[in-house]
Amino acid sequence: MIRDSSTLQKGQSLRVEINEVKDRLPQNILEKIRKDPVVELVGYKMVDGNQFGLVVKLTNGEINWFFEKELSEIM
């Protein structure tokens, strides 16, 4: 889980935590993430009054967004 997204850089590789997203994503996107959970950070999105979403690009080029708790840094 990412605790502070302000330290992340555009283009950075992140990993989608499948257990955090399996209840909210459509099956076709889940299958893509299961095959390759590594995504590239492309930007940020305001998702409610006090939380940011991280906009990422999947390996197939598809753009999606996730909450900080749904992603982790790759060390």
Side-chain angles (χ1 to χ4, degrees):
M1 170 175 34
I2 295 174
R3 297 191 194 292
D4 181 10
S5 62
S6 68
T7 62
L8 300 177
Q9 297 179 8
K10 197 172 187 179
Q12 184 171 346
S13 292
L14 303 170
R15 179 181 315 280
V16 177
E17 297 299 331
I18 197 77
N19 289 333
E20 296 290 332
V21 298
K22 64 183 177 184
D23 294 337
R24 78 167 184 92
L25 292 180
Q27 192 64 33
N28 62 329
I29 294 175
L30 281 175
E31 289 304 317
K32 292 172 189 172
I33 292 171
R34 279 191 179 105
K35 289 179 184 172
D36 190 356
V38 177
V39 296
E40 176 187 343
L41 179 64
V42 296
Y44 296 90
K45 169 186 176 123
M46 180 62 82
V47 292
D48 66 21
N50 63 357
Q51 220 174 13
F52 285 97
L54 301 174
V55 180
V56 299
K57 181 168 53 171
L58 304 179
T59 54
N60 69 352
E62 187 175 330
I63 302 293
N64 211 323
W65 70 270
F66 296 92
F67 290 107
E68 290 174 319
K69 70 177 186 170
E70 298 171 334
L71 299 167
S72 60
E73 288 186 73
I74 298 174
M75 300 297 174

